[in-house]
Amino acid sequence: MADLASEDAFVAFERVQKSYDGENLVVKDLNLSLPKGEFLTMLGPSGSGKTTCLMMLAGFETATHGEILLGGQSINNIPPHKRGIGMVFQNYALFPHMTVAENLSFPLEVRKIGKSDREAKVKRALDMVQMGEFGGRRPAQLSGGQQQRIALSRALVFEPELVLMDEPLGALDKQLREHMQFEITRLAHELGITTVYVTHDQTEALTMSDRVAVFDDGRIQQLAPPDQLYEEPENSFVAQFIGENNTLEGTVTSMAGNTCVVTLDDGEEIDAMPVNVSQVGERTKVSIRPERVEFNKDRLNADAHLVKATVKEFIYMGDVFRFRLSVAGNDDFIVKTRNAPDAVKLKPGETIDIGWLPQDCRALDA
Amino acid sequence: MSDETQSGPVLAADGTPLKQSLARSLRNQKMRALALIGPLLIFVLISFVIPIGSMLFRSVENGMVEQTIPLTVEALKDWDIDSGESPNEAVYQAFVEDMIVAIEAKKHTRLGTRLNYEQTGMSSLFRKSGRKIKRLDPQADAPFKDKLIDIDKKWGDAQTWAVIKTHSVKITNGYFLNAIDMQRTPEGAQAQPEDKRILITLFKRTLFMSLVITFSCIMLAYPVAWILANLPMRTANMLMILVLLPFWTSLLVRTSAWKVMLQQQGVINEVLVWLGIVADDARLVMINNQLGTIIAMTHILLPFMILPMYSVMQTIQPTYLRAAKSMGATNWTAFWRVYFPLSVPGIGAGSILVFILSIGYYITPEIVGGTKGVFISNRIAYHISSSLNWGLAAALGTILLAVVLILYWAYDKIVGIDNVKLG
């Protein structure tokens, strides 16, 4: 799915740049294409250019350079109302002076769809989000979650092929958010809609998307399915940004095919998989996920390099144990283990050996 | 965990009824709140309720005739107003006795002025007769009928006495009748002679011009408020100063400036003549008429329209327009179906402010209005300061107040007063 020829793509950004002030580029040379029916999430910290990309696609911002294609046609000069793209806004943007049904009916009215047709579609769209009885209410009389559902069904009621969502769940509490994540993906897949979803919440991105584009500094840092993104980050930004991550700094001292040895700054040696390093002597940040670190003596691989660690803190979280260790000068090295009957409980002050599989330890750019 | 259900009122912990105990605990709070608004309450009472109340009362109050010539009023009760003949000697006797007392107290000229509102000539009649009646003796010089008619033959005219009798009631509707171009006559309410009918025209003109001014304020203020609401805060605040600048200049100066601009030898005409758009002998008449009043008042009242519109528009999120467009609405549809309805409360608030202010406006029509562009308030001012007919002025003011209240009520019925927002 990675590299799609732009002819087959439903939505495509080609060498798109955007600058607001003529001095700084907010979006730098963006190339992105997605096929019909895909759920793509743009994930990144605020100011990374993800919302700007979404607004360019919706037509509310113009690209400074490059082309945006929808269904194979350039839409750079098509005004937003002719693009036929559904959109869900961060604050829902439900019209407060209209009832829920009137809100949903609005996109159909401007499309000059007949009254009986309109009513049927509105009803179907409301039923789709289980809000059938709320047609007569005003948005202000609904809870946040209900407003969210209405905003969603309003974006879908005119059956667009592409729906954009700009942090739609940002204002909801955690439980509701999780529920809505499921709801949105279900709808998107059932209706076969192409979705571009913008968020800064990585959990949301991982659980909902077919592919995730991680944005930083106006560029896509990595574009990959969630599992690949989490397990095989391509650079240290992605590794840090997605999920919890332990970083150790050092220098590559030997390389052999799929593994290399990194000498940490305090002299310890570890095995790693070279990702962004190509030669001996290069500086590198190695990244290890907390749950991939092994400290159970019985399971440690004797052949691999082991590292000495001191336990600093033990945090009980119910389903998992979390330990904060001091490793090679890094006091924030986190290790997680499942709360299983044979789980080892480490005590603060203890000194232990830790290790990992070389492929879980990725040597990335410094 | 007792499940006992109590019968009767709920009791507090000490056994007193809960309601009573709640009221007691809230009483202190209420007293403190009352003490805080006390000064304002007293101020409003003294500066607002009492003056308006006294104005309302003055528009019907008419004790002067009865207080000044009580015996005459009593004697006139037996006189048949429709007979067409002058009253009998008893009335003249009573009148002379009343007048001697009134002249002593120097009240007779005031009565003359009062009756002069109803019939011209009464003022001079009373002044002239007063000098002569002063020398009469109520016992020795009787009978008086012929003597009075000698002093002025109007005393033999039944019309004179009819006016006195008609306006001797304590509470009169005469001022209100006058205010709507009618008069109180022995035969009941009748229309004023045609040459005296001006007030209804003035009321209509005031309402019409206030509507025109309100409408032109809406048209001018809406785009300004829109721009202000959509600019970045800093720029908007800068431009806001320009909107508020007129507030810091004297009303008189601003109105006079319009005089300089609009008159026939004024700036606008000179420029138009210089450009050759207007011939020198056909200069535009833009002042001392309705146009002048409308232009100047629209300018002066514009901020009162911009400010509420601006503060309402500021609360309209720009995403509403984006949402509408993303759903397929053109710029115009998005504006008309989404933005405009949301801005209506601002228009409503501004319109009510501007309309009510302009309906009672005085200075500007007085300066630039000429005769064709004056408002009812100018007439009220005339009756208060020149003709001193305060009763009529009060009646006019009361009608104006009633019109405003009726319009306010109608607005509430049509648009809904909760649809008015100042921000």
Side-chain angles (χ1 to χ4, degrees):
Chain A
M1 250 207 268
D3 274 307
L4 210 71
S6 55
E7 300 87 81
D8 308 332
F10 182 53
V11 179
F13 287 82
E14 286 180 358
R15 314 214 56 166
V16 172
Q17 291 184 316
K18 172 72 187 176
S19 171
Y20 286 106
D21 54 5
E23 286 170 20
N24 305 302
L25 282 173
V26 184
V27 175
K28 299 168 182 163
D29 195 24
L30 178 81
N31 290 291
L32 175 65
S33 56
L34 54 157
K36 230 178 171 125
E38 189 180 47
F39 196 118
L40 179 109
T41 298
M42 294 178 171
L43 174 69
S46 52
S48 59
K50 57 188 194 307
T51 300
T52 306
C53 284
L54 196 75
M55 289 302 164
M56 285 193 287
L57 186 53
F60 298 124
E61 300 288 353
T62 52
T64 312
H65 174 84
E67 255 187 313
I68 301 171
L69 304 163
L70 179 63
Q73 283 192 315
S74 168
I75 53 169
N76 282 28
N77 293 319
I78 296 179
H81 67 270
K82 288 190 182 150
R83 295 191 180 190
I85 298 175
M87 188 150 182
V88 181
F89 292 85
Q90 196 169 7
N91 48 12
Y92 319 135
L94 295 175
F95 305 140
H97 60 296
M98 298 182 187
T99 64
V100 165
E102 284 166 345
N103 262 287
L104 262 72
S105 176
F106 183 83
L108 305 174
E109 275 169 49
V110 298
R111 285 182 167 70
K112 308 219 161 40
I113 289 172
K115 191 163 187 281
S116 54
D117 229 13
R118 229 157 52 205
E119 278 166 5
K121 280 177 193 247
V122 167
K123 194 181 170 317
R124 206 178 332 136
L126 281 177
D127 288 339
M128 195 169 67
V129 292
Q130 291 100 48
M131 294 286 290
E133 310 121 67
F134 294 88
R137 299 262 193 106
R138 293 282 165 122
Q141 296 167 306
L142 302 177
S143 70
Q146 290 171 327
Q147 291 188 32
Q148 176 55 58
R149 284 157 189 269
I150 300 303
L152 186 63
S153 68
R154 188 178 66 173
L156 299 174
V157 70
F158 60 97
E159 290 157 18
E161 292 187 301
L162 175 63
V163 173
L164 312 181
M165 304 194 192
D166 183 13
E167 308 207 16
L169 305 179
L172 302 181
D173 60 60
K174 189 167 171 285
Q175 224 169 358
L176 208 50
R177 195 157 60 213
E178 279 166 11
H179 183 75
M180 285 306 294
Q181 286 169 11
F182 167 73
E183 198 92 328
I184 290 174
T185 31
R186 178 182 67 84
L187 276 173
H189 285 133
E190 265 176 26
L191 302 173
I193 309 163
T194 315
T195 312
V196 179
Y197 190 99
V198 162
T199 184
H200 61 257
D201 183 320
Q202 36 141 327
T203 327
E204 224 165 87
L206 293 180
T207 52
M208 299 175 78
S209 332
D210 295 328
R211 282 195 301 165
V212 180
V214 181
F215 274 70
D216 186 48
D217 193 28
R219 285 181 206 284
I220 294 182
Q221 301 291 334
Q222 188 171 357
L223 174 61
D227 52 346
Q228 204 179 331
L229 203 64
Y230 184 80
E231 284 162 28
E232 298 160 26
E234 278 171 8
N235 55 42
S236 50
F237 175 80
V238 176
Q240 302 259 17
F241 193 74
I242 305 286
E244 217 172 354
N245 181 59
N246 292 308
T247 308
L248 298 171
E249 290 189 43
T251 314
V252 182
T253 44
S254 82
M255 284 188 83
N258 254 349
T259 53
C260 65
V261 176
V262 175
T263 308
L264 301 181
D265 292 348
D266 70 341
E268 290 220 56
E269 286 190 334
I270 57 168
D271 295 321
M273 192 175 92
V275 178
N276 274 352
V277 288
S278 48
Q279 55 198 19
V280 173
E282 244 180 286
R283 290 288 296 169
T284 182
K285 273 182 182 160
V286 290
S287 131
I288 313 120
R289 295 289 179 197
E291 67 275 14
R292 295 292 167 96
V293 178
E294 190 56 73
F295 55 87
N296 192 333
K297 287 191 203 83
D298 308 336
R299 289 197 217 131
L300 280 175
N301 187 345
D303 308 337
H305 282 106
L306 298 182
V307 182
K308 285 259 172 288
T310 316
V311 181
K312 289 278 181 194
E313 201 179 350
F314 164 58
I315 302 147
Y316 180 79
M317 296 181 74
D319 53 345
V320 290
F321 298 156
R322 248 171 92 95
F323 303 100
R324 189 163 65 80
L325 310 180
S326 174
V327 177
N330 179 356
D331 276 348
D332 280 320
F333 196 96
I334 303 292
V335 173
K336 271 196 228 169
T337 184
R338 201 163 58 86
N339 185 356
D342 62 339
V344 180
K345 266 195 194 176
L346 302 173
K347 289 175 197 67
E350 234 178 299
T351 305
I352 51 164
D353 283 330
I354 57 171
W356 44 77
L357 298 174
Q359 62 265 33
D360 287 335
C361 177
R362 297 167 69 84
L364 305 168
D365 53 306
Chain B
M1 287 287 254
S2 74
D3 259 351
E4 273 175 79
T5 45
Q6 276 179 320
S7 61
V10 187
L11 299 183
D14 61 352
T16 53
L18 190 57
K19 269 197 178 162
Q20 199 182 317
S21 139
L22 178 70
R24 196 180 324 124
S25 66
L26 289 180
R27 193 176 307 142
N28 268 337
Q29 266 183 343
K30 279 186 189 159
M31 291 308 285
R32 207 175 314 139
L34 202 65
L36 279 173
I37 61 156
L40 178 69
L41 209 63
I42 293 166
F43 178 78
V44 166
L45 202 69
I46 291 174
S47 69
F48 194 70
V49 177
I50 293 176
I52 288 192
S54 101
M55 182 198 80
L56 293 177
F57 179 63
R58 201 180 272 277
S59 63
V60 292
E61 189 264 344
N62 188 39
M64 183 188 273
V65 177
E66 213 200 359
Q67 279 161 24
T68 318
I69 47 170
L71 299 172
T72 319
V73 171
E74 192 61 36
L76 274 172
K77 279 187 181 153
D78 299 330
W79 176 60
D80 178 13
I81 205 161
D82 298 323
S83 65
E85 285 171 27
S86 52
N88 58 22
E89 173 60 26
V91 172
Y92 289 90
Q93 171 79 37
F95 181 68
V96 169
E97 281 174 32
D98 280 338
M99 279 297 274
I100 287 170
V101 178
I103 291 161
E104 198 82 354
K106 298 202 163 107
K107 275 164 142 184
H108 68 295
T109 50
R110 274 207 268 160
L111 180 62
T113 315
R114 165 70 188 93
L115 291 171
N116 201 54
Y117 302 149
E118 314 302 336
Q119 182 162 330
T120 42
M122 290 296 250
S123 179
S124 60
L125 175 65
F126 268 75
R127 214 176 316 115
K128 188 172 124 196
S129 310
R131 284 196 292 273
K132 298 190 174 154
I133 293 174
K134 201 160 65 172
R135 289 186 221 115
L136 296 176
D137 183 281
Q139 266 83 48
D141 293 329
F144 292 108
K145 184 163 180 174
D146 293 331
K147 288 199 176 101
L148 275 177
I149 294 173
D150 274 350
I151 290 173
D152 195 313
K153 66 173 187 306
K154 277 187 188 158
W155 291 121
D157 190 350
Q159 178 62 27
T160 309
W161 295 102
V163 168
I164 293 175
K165 183 167 175 165
T166 314
H167 294 281
S168 62
V169 288
K170 267 193 184 139
I171 298 293
T172 180
N173 57 1
Y175 293 123
F176 276 102
L177 289 173
N178 285 349
I180 54 168
D181 285 341
M182 293 175 84
Q183 56 184 344
R184 185 184 164 93
T185 65
E187 295 81 35
Q190 282 185 351
Q192 291 268 27
E194 226 160 286
D195 57 327
K196 283 178 135 183
R197 291 181 209 161
I198 52 160
L199 295 171
I200 290 277
T201 322
L202 267 177
F203 269 118
K204 280 192 200 150
R205 186 197 291 161
T206 305
L207 287 180
F208 169 73
M209 284 175 64
S210 297
L211 281 176
V212 172
I213 289 161
T214 309
F215 186 72
S216 36
C217 276
I218 294 174
M219 296 314 277
L220 291 174
Y222 201 91
V224 177
W226 162 281
I227 290 171
L228 284 175
N230 284 295
L231 281 174
M233 207 55 185
R234 281 176 62 99
T235 334
N237 284 342
M238 286 286 291
L239 291 178
M240 206 53 174
I241 292 177
L242 295 182
V243 172
L244 293 175
L245 200 62
F247 273 138
W248 306 332
T249 323
S250 153
L251 179 59
L252 213 55
V253 171
R254 273 181 287 159
T255 308
S256 309
W258 275 113
K259 207 159 184 151
V260 175
M261 293 293 289
L262 296 175
Q263 61 190 321
Q264 284 200 287
Q265 307 301 321
V267 178
I268 293 175
N269 265 314
E270 292 290 347
V271 170
L272 290 177
V273 168
W274 180 71
L275 288 172
I277 297 170
V278 165
D280 200 9
D281 54 355
R283 286 167 180 252
L284 302 175
V285 185
M286 293 181 291
I287 203 157
N288 296 333
N289 58 12
Q290 299 194 1
L291 181 66
T293 307
I294 289 171
I295 292 177
M297 279 183 61
T298 301
H299 165 245
I300 284 160
L301 295 175
L302 201 54
F304 293 98
M305 188 66 89
I306 294 177
L307 289 175
M309 277 187 179
Y310 168 64
S311 58
V312 167
M313 284 180 184
Q314 259 192 323
T315 64
I316 304 176
Q317 295 167 14
T319 46
Y320 288 144
L321 279 180
R322 288 189 162 187
K325 284 184 213 166
S326 80
M327 285 184 270
T330 57
N331 284 338
W332 169 252
T333 316
F335 167 77
W336 185 245
R337 292 280 314 274
V338 176
Y339 197 91
F340 182 75
L342 292 174
S343 68
V344 161
I347 301 177
S351 300
I352 288 189
L353 265 178
V354 168
F355 185 79
I356 290 177
L357 280 173
S358 68
I359 212 174
Y361 229 68
Y362 166 66
I363 295 181
T364 307
E366 182 72 24
I367 296 175
V368 299
T371 50
K372 291 250 172 63
V374 293
F375 278 20
I376 193 70
S377 46
N378 300 90
R379 200 68 197 165
I380 296 177
Y382 164 78
H383 281 302
I384 283 180
S385 56
S386 302
S387 84
L388 301 183
N389 188 352
W390 285 19
L392 179 57
L396 289 172
T398 307
I399 291 175
L400 204 54
L401 180 64
V403 167
V404 169
L405 289 178
I406 288 169
L407 286 170
Y408 191 77
W409 173 82
Y411 184 91
D412 185 29
K413 282 280 149 197
I414 299 164
V415 188
I417 214 67
D418 45 343
N419 247 332
V420 167
K421 263 199 293 186
L422 288 170

